[in-house]
Amino acid sequence: MRRVGLIAVGAWAALMAGCAWIAWHASYTTDLSAFLPRSPSASQELLVEQLRQGVVSRLILVGIEGAPIPALAALSQELAMRLAREPEFAYAANGSEEQLAADGAFLMRHRYLLSPGVIPERFSVAGLREALDSDLADLGSALGALTSRLLPADPTGEFMRVVELLGADTGPQRRNGVWFNSTGTRALLLLQTRAAGFDIDAQERALARIRSVFDAIAAQQNASQARVRISGPGVFAVAARAQIKQDVSRISLLAVALVSVMLLAVYRSPSALLMTLLPAASGAVAGVAAVALAFGSVHGVTLGFGATLLGEGVDYAIYLFTNSAPGSGLRRSLARIWPTLLLGVLTSVVGFSVLLFSQFAGLAQLGLFSMVGLIVAYIVTRFVLPELIPDHFGVRPPAALGAAFASLAVRARWLRIPLLLAVVSSVVWLASRGHALWDDRLESLSPVAESEKRLDETLRRDLGAPDVNYLAVAVARTLQGALEAAERVGAALERARRAESIDGFESPARILPSDATQRARQAAIPEPDTLRDNLEEAAQGLPFQPRLFEPFLKDAEAARQQPIVTARDMAGTALALRLESLLSQHDGGWMAVLPLRAVREPAVAARELSGLNGVHLLDLKAEANTLYRGYRDQALHLALIGAAVIAVLLLAALRSARRAAEVLLPLAAAVVVTCALLSLGARQLTVFNLVGLLLVVGVGSNYTLFFEREIFPRSDPQRTLISLVCCNASTVIGFGLLSFAHANVLHAVGGTVALGAFLSLVFGAILAAGRPVRG
Amino acid sequence: MIELGQVQQARARFVERRYLKVLKSPLELSGTLAYEAPDRLIKRTLEPRPETLTVDGERLVIEAQGRVRTLRLQDYPVAWAFVESFRATLKGDRAALERFYRLALEGGPQRWQLSLTPRDPKMSALIESILIDGRKGRIGKIEIREAKGDRSVITVFEDTQ
């Protein structure tokens, strides 16, 4: 081996070792937020934060099934108790009385500071008389028992007002003391993880904990027939990652196997096969390492391309080997084809490089991965392979194969008219589809399987868990500022509720009123003597026992003197959790979130909120879809820019508009027809199809370049034809297998590229055939 | 009880007196009762404030002051005690009664008194006992004694229709 060669091989080995180490230690994610913008607008930022780590992202819904009610209830009790002690969970609710009792005690103790009914008029003679009259009527009602129990301490009904306001008495029905679905077949629990939804490793640990604790309890209670079913955003993320991992590893293996079989049949040389796989594998490892270094973590979608980079990464070596007969001199062949290969690599790399400018981390990762992967595969082919193989090495593809391809290629010119018709009808079809061509919903990117979605919907309905679309968000510098803002938003939303444009809303300020509001309520309670006089006057002529209301007088005075209620006072209650989910620290400030229920007229709610400073009304669904449309439009723009840059590059390299057009035209035709075929039967295209089309241009340009520069200009094009067909077949195998993946991302990209790459080759042959031979 | 079990439909007026510890004098309510076999009971209070209480199976619907509330019967033990004793007695469903109460029957078919004591400790913390007086296939009076000293006496009158 020459000195230079030694250096090349040594450098390659060191680089690969380093990249492999980085790739091995990289963290892998699959959450949707990698496909959300990096520098979004204020409201998009809030959306992204909600999706990544808001309370909604941290909920886990649990159902226990498959046993009689008492057994399920016992399992639920034990599971909730054990999980509440585990570090992964902020809380585990199953509706048991102990949990409700803690909330009830807190609300009862602080009812005068929490109830909006506490205003000065409430404690005047007229206000108290009204309250006592209503109490008397309530005593006669079916629910009189509760009134008579609360009456001495709370004649004005502040406790019930707070309970109703916070909806603390709603929830799923209870059987044997815990939450059940309506048919009693499933015990229900609601968990919240401490870790954010995007932290998939932590979510996975939490899920594993639920299962292991459940299995232990089921074994203890001899309820092995009972099953636990778990759903929620974290569950989806974990499942998606596992699915993508499984898909990627299985498909990679299968692709390597199939490509190997094909190449073995053509090369009839195992060592040529190994040498062909080497550049592709090097490229994939380097690509993953580059993404891990640049982005901190690798998205599963990016990883999915590892399997398929094989399809293009092997191309350079295939060109090299199929063009080298034994003894003809490997280096000579390399010297002959490497300018064409370089141009091919450059067009692909330029095409993908535009993705780096994408706002979306996911797309940028794809771009970086593909660029680094291709460049490394090319460099390894150019500088490392020749050092590892003796120069006289070569392969003898079956002669009949080359002859068959050559005769097909010559006859391909007869297909020019059908090709023209196909392109024209595709353009007409695509134009007629208009905007319906694209699926504008962000969910179209979601990797969640249908069956998992259904389980989630069922559990959510059973539990009445929040499934909000509209959020009012108020941002302020301090906690008190955020609570006061939430109170102003609440007042505005209350007007919208009275106008029946919304059904209701939640607010952190209902659970924890601002200090100012609490002080105003304290000030609304009269001095003890005044209150006693007012009460005695109000009770005149009513049949209440004398001195019945002593507890009330005592509690009211205590409330007047007590310290302001803080978040600390509600530690250990479910309310603390609800508060935490609605109120969070945010970039050095505080953010209050008010989810709206059943919004009928968003415009009315928006108008009520429009005068308030620092308040946004988020339509999560619309915002997400806008985000996605922006994402898609940007991907489309970038793809067009990429195509334009490729055109300019070819023009500069080939120094002829006609020759550049000969390379580009088949590609354009392939993209148009692929697009039309994909959208047949009212199927809509997603951004993943679009990315696939960009890959088609990047990959397909290599084929048409070879047609233009290497095949028809030569008198004996058979070997180059074989190499082209092999390259194309390996790409179609790699991406075609990907289209069988479960994850819709891989499925969409795989199908698009397999189809588009195949068409590029065929169209390239059709358009190139019959051109005059250039010398 | 066999005779009672044959009741398919019954309508009656009632007067209820509630003796509550928080009040110096009893509250008096009146209205109508209707029973439809097997599980439906409607108690319609007309005076002093209209309120309709419908029990169908395990569901309790309360309509009062223009508001309808649907609740689970088991969450409201006092209402449950009244409903179950009344309903099961009319139904002649001795097993249902036995499940929740210890029974003692006195007197003969002409004039009988059934007393019910809750079995469940949670229930007996609220309800001390229920006494039902009747003649032949009709209930005449129900007295519910609550553990904390409150009691209700519901007198049922033959329907005038």
Side-chain angles (χ1 to χ4, degrees), chain B residues 23-151:
Chain B
L23 298 183
K24 291 181 282 196
S25 51
L27 280 177
E28 192 172 299
L29 301 92
S30 61
T32 63
L33 282 169
Y35 167 77
E36 285 164 32
D39 270 337
R40 196 172 155 89
L41 181 71
I42 303 168
K43 181 187 179 206
R44 198 183 300 269
T45 307
L46 301 170
E47 292 288 332
R49 192 172 74 177
E51 179 184 69
T52 304
L53 189 147
T54 309
V55 180
D56 206 342
E58 300 207 334
R59 218 163 50 121
L60 171 67
V61 182
I62 299 173
E63 293 174 65
Q65 296 167 297
R67 212 173 131 197
V68 181
R69 271 194 288 191
T70 304
L71 307 162
R72 291 179 294 269
L73 187 55
Q74 47 181 323
D75 290 346
Y76 296 87
V78 178
W80 191 17
F82 163 73
V83 168
E84 208 53 72
S85 58
F86 195 86
R87 198 164 62 170
T89 307
L90 280 178
K91 223 164 130 178
D93 188 352
R94 189 168 179 130
L97 284 177
E98 292 268 17
R99 202 160 66 234
F100 301 114
Y101 306 99
R102 272 185 294 276
L103 307 187
L105 185 61
E106 283 170 35
Q110 284 302 314
R111 196 187 170 98
W112 47 266
Q113 186 180 51
L114 185 62
S115 76
L116 313 175
T117 331
R119 289 179 186 278
D120 180 33
K122 268 189 199 165
M123 188 81 165
S124 58
L126 293 165
I127 307 286
E128 188 189 292
S129 64
I130 302 168
L131 300 173
I132 306 173
D133 289 354
R135 278 167 191 274
K136 293 189 183 169
R138 297 210 72 122
I139 290 175
K141 196 177 87 179
I142 301 177
E143 181 171 344
I144 302 173
R145 293 182 178 163
E146 293 180 35
K148 297 217 167 117
D150 290 347
R151 70 197 165 94

Side-chain angles (χ1 to χ4, degrees), chain A residues 97 133-134 136-146 148-149 151-152 160 164 169 171-176 542-546 548, chain B residues 16 18 20-25 27 29 43 45 49 51 53 58 60 62 65 67 69 71-72 74-76 78-79 122 126 146 148 150:
Chain A
E97 273 172 32
D133 279 337
S134 147
L136 205 54
D138 284 344
L139 285 175
S141 87
L143 305 179
L146 186 62
S148 92
R149 188 153 49 86
L151 187 66
M160 283 315 289
E164 278 175 26
D169 61 342
Q173 67 164 294
R174 288 200 297 278
R175 291 181 194 233
N176 290 34
L542 297 178
F544 293 106
Q545 299 280 10
L548 175 66
Chain B
E16 177 176 359
R18 283 199 186 171
L20 301 176
K21 282 195 347 187
V22 294
L23 298 183
K24 291 181 282 196
S25 51
L27 280 177
L29 301 92
K43 181 187 179 206
T45 307
R49 192 172 74 177
E51 179 184 69
L53 189 147
E58 300 207 334
L60 171 67
I62 299 173
Q65 296 167 297
R67 212 173 131 197
R69 271 194 288 191
L71 307 162
R72 291 179 294 269
Q74 47 181 323
D75 290 346
Y76 296 87
V78 178
K122 268 189 199 165
L126 293 165
E146 293 180 35
K148 297 217 167 117
D150 290 347

Side-chain angles (χ1 to χ4, degrees), chain A residues 22-24 28 52 88 173 192 213 282 285 291 337 399 415 423 433 445 526 542 564 575 587 594 702 716 722:
Chain A
I22 294 168
W24 183 257
Y28 295 88
R52 280 171 62 84
E88 287 88 356
Q173 67 164 294
Q192 189 166 324
V213 169
S282 307
V285 173
V291 169
I337 62 167
L415 292 172
V423 171
R433 298 277 290 154
L445 302 191
L542 297 178
I564 297 293
L575 289 167
D587 287 344
L594 292 86
N702 292 6
D716 178 22
I722 289 176

Side-chain angles (χ1 to χ4, degrees), chain A residues 128 525 610:
Chain A
L128 288 169
I525 305 172
S610 62

Side-chain angles (χ1 to χ4, degrees), chain A residues 49 66 87 94 111 256 336 404 411 428 450 513-514 628 654 724 764:
Chain A
E49 179 164 321
N94 66 347
R111 62 191 181 280
V256 170
R336 177 165 65 81
R411 287 187 196 142
V428 170
E450 246 346 279
S514 70
Y628 173 58
L654 300 171
L724 265 189

Side-chain angles (χ1 to χ4, degrees), chain A residues 30-41:
Chain A
T30 46
D31 71 313
L32 213 66
S33 60
F35 283 84
L36 297 172
R38 283 183 285 193
S39 51
S41 70

Side-chain angles (χ1 to χ4, degrees), chain A residues 515-579:
Chain A
D515 287 359
T517 300
Q518 292 192 45
R519 286 209 188 84
R521 287 177 186 160
Q522 284 183 316
I525 305 172
E527 304 264 327
D529 292 342
T530 318
L531 186 59
R532 184 180 293 274
D533 290 348
N534 289 356
L535 183 67
E536 271 171 19
E537 198 180 331
Q540 259 172 24
L542 297 178
F544 293 106
Q545 299 280 10
R547 298 185 62 79
L548 175 66
F549 297 114
E550 287 305 312
F552 160 62
L553 294 169
K554 200 171 123 257
D555 286 1
E557 178 55 15
R560 219 163 64 87
Q561 307 286 355
Q562 79 167 89
I564 297 293
V565 178
T566 67
R568 249 201 314 280
D569 294 323
M570 54 186 89
T573 65
L575 289 167
L577 228 100
R578 271 171 73 188
L579 180 68

